[in-house]
Amino acid sequence: PNYDGRSEEPEVYRSKLPVALLIGAEGIAVGMSTKILPYNLKEVLDAEIKCLKGEDFEIFPDVSTGGLMDGIGYNDGNGKIVTRARFDTSDDKKIIITELPVDSNAKALLESIDSAYKAGKIKISSVDNFTTDHCNIEIKLPRGVYSKDVIDQLYAYTDCEKSIPCQMLVIKDNMPVTMTAKEIVAYYAEKLKGIIKEELEFEKAKLTEDLHNRTLERIFVEERIYKDIENKRTSETVVKAVKDGFKPFKDELVRPINDDDVERLLQIPIRRISLFDISKNREQVKAIKDRLKEIALKLKNLKGCAVDYLGEMEEKFKKLNPELMVRHTKLASFSA
């Protein structure tokens, strides 16, 4: 119920895009947990398009902080990934961390480096954090130690390398269900077609009613039916006179005329009747009929409509923020 209880509001606003994949999710409950990493917007849209076209596809998580990711054990969302930070080792005497591992932050990474140093696991001289909107953690090395000697130690003993278990447990039809990334994409592809169908049918109903009203107005004015009510003394006889006046034109109407239609016609001001533009009305009716034909064609090709919609979303987001359409986390293969 809304705030005063007079009407109802949606519990959930339906999404046309796979929000579960785009923003990810994490949580625990009794005996169950979920860990869904976020995905790249363009790759998700492309996967939706391929799914609708019946083509095979594969997608992997992607985060704005970048990093490296080995997804060999990912199992389409219900396995694990191994993720690493990216280093700049152009200077042998220092290592600059330029990108964070997936699902990590600079503070936690620095703490893990500090712990490894105190435990004698890595040899470093100092660590400086110059991170702003991009990661920039500078690790200086002591005399006689070079970057190639420390990289493997950072991966082994700090959060520069992490293994992240993933599980796509979602609420589907009010029940917790474990799904794969491909299944979620396929689910949203069907959902998108359903939403587009309902939108088209909603527009069709509105246009059909508009067409009916404009047809009624034209006949009411053009055939001077309003003249038939001048001598009537009761509302019943007025309504009957209007309905009788439309009988010869029932084949032109979208549906039979009812009392609400008559009431709407009787409320048309005299000034509007005298200035009624028949040509303009016919143009408007033609435009409505043309649009109804377009809707009929679209309803027969919902798959094509869904593909077109996703293509439009790609163009829209590309203009809004090109960074959204670029993969940041690089796929790689790691050795132990």
Side-chain angles (χ1 to χ4, degrees):
N2 73 334
Y3 71 98
D4 62 4
R6 294 183 185 181
S7 61
E8 292 186 335
E9 297 177 348
E11 291 182 1
V12 177
Y13 286 108
R14 298 181 301 172
S15 170
K16 292 181 178 178
L17 303 180
V19 175
L21 296 180
L22 292 174
I23 64 174
E26 183 174 2
I28 58 172
V30 178
M32 61 184 72
S33 66
T34 189
K35 176 74 172 180
I36 304 174
L37 294 171
Y39 286 71
N40 177 268
L41 175 60
K42 184 178 187 306
E43 291 180 5
V44 170
L45 292 174
D46 287 342
E48 285 269 292
I49 291 171
K50 287 180 179 178
C51 180
L52 286 163
K53 290 181 176 180
E55 300 173 7
D56 194 26
F57 64 90
E58 191 174 26
I59 52 174
F60 290 95
D62 178 44
V63 296
S64 59
T65 52
L68 302 169
M69 183 179 72
D70 187 339
I72 194 167
Y74 185 55
N75 194 26
D76 204 17
N78 292 291
K80 69 173 184 177
I81 66 163
V82 179
T83 177
R84 287 180 173 179
R86 294 188 79 170
F87 299 147
D88 176 0
T89 56
S90 54
D91 185 338
D92 283 345
K93 293 303 293 176
K94 65 181 177 182
I95 297 171
I96 300 174
I97 303 174
T98 57
E99 293 181 14
L100 295 169
V102 172
D103 202 33
S104 185
N105 59 64
K107 181 181 177 182
L109 186 60
L110 285 167
E111 288 175 353
S112 73
I113 293 171
D114 185 52
S115 297
Y117 169 72
K118 289 177 178 177
K121 299 288 187 179
I122 56 174
K123 297 177 180 178
I124 59 176
S125 175
S126 63
V127 180
D128 294 304
N129 184 15
F130 301 112
T131 299
T132 52
D133 54 337
H134 289 91
C135 180
N136 189 346
I137 298 173
E138 186 177 290
I139 302 173
K140 293 181 179 176
L141 306 177
R143 183 177 298 176
V145 178
Y146 299 94
S147 58
K148 60 182 175 61
D149 305 320
V150 181
I151 288 175
D152 283 348
Q153 294 171 355
L154 287 171
Y155 285 145
Y157 302 120
T158 75
D159 282 351
C160 286
E161 177 178 306
K162 294 170 62 180
S163 178
I164 303 175
C166 302
Q167 183 173 15
M168 287 191 172
L169 184 72
V170 298
I171 304 297
K172 179 185 176 187
D173 301 327
N174 293 322
M175 290 290 290
V177 179
T178 300
M179 299 178 72
T180 65
K182 285 187 176 183
E183 288 172 344
I184 290 176
V185 167
Y187 174 84
Y188 269 92
E190 287 302 311
K191 184 179 179 183
L192 174 59
K193 284 161 58 179
I195 294 173
I196 290 174
K197 181 182 178 182
E198 290 181 12
E199 286 180 346
L200 289 170
E201 288 177 340
F202 179 76
E203 185 184 358
K204 179 183 176 182
K206 286 185 68 177
L207 287 172
T208 302
E209 188 64 18
D210 192 20
L211 177 62
H212 177 70
N213 293 335
R214 292 182 186 279
T215 304
L216 286 178
E217 285 187 16
R218 178 185 60 79
I219 296 173
F220 187 69
V221 175
E222 193 174 33
E223 303 300 332
R224 302 172 72 84
I225 293 175
Y226 58 88
K227 289 287 186 179
D228 298 339
I229 65 174
E230 290 178 348
N231 299 321
K232 302 299 183 288
R233 294 290 178 263
T234 64
S235 60
E236 290 82 3
T237 54
V238 168
V239 171
K240 186 177 183 304
V242 174
K243 288 184 176 180
D244 289 344
F246 275 95
K247 283 182 180 179
F249 311 102
K250 63 181 181 180
D251 292 340
E252 297 181 40
L253 301 180
V254 175
R255 59 169 173 77
I257 187 170
N258 57 33
D259 291 344
D260 290 337
D261 294 329
V262 174
E263 185 63 29
R264 189 164 47 251
L265 290 170
L266 294 175
Q267 290 177 1
I268 299 175
I270 296 296
R271 177 178 175 79
R272 188 170 149 200
I273 291 175
S274 62
L275 296 175
F276 190 80
D277 189 335
I278 297 293
S279 298
K280 184 179 179 182
N281 179 276
R282 291 185 188 280
E283 288 175 6
Q284 292 170 336
V285 166
K286 183 180 182 304
I288 292 171
K289 287 182 176 179
D290 289 343
R291 178 56 184 162
L292 285 170
K293 287 179 182 177
E294 288 179 22
I295 291 173
L297 290 173
K298 287 184 176 182
L299 284 169
K300 292 178 181 178
N301 185 25
L302 290 172
K303 185 187 293 185
C305 291
V307 170
D308 290 344
Y309 172 81
L310 293 167
E312 289 169 6
M313 288 299 100
E314 283 199 16
E315 290 301 316
K316 175 183 176 180
F317 288 117
K318 188 176 180 180
K319 289 178 182 177
L320 282 174
N321 186 357
E323 281 291 303
L324 291 171
M325 311 305 283
V326 178
R327 168 167 275 278
H328 296 91
T329 303
K330 184 179 178 182
L331 296 174
S333 180
F334 305 148
S335 57

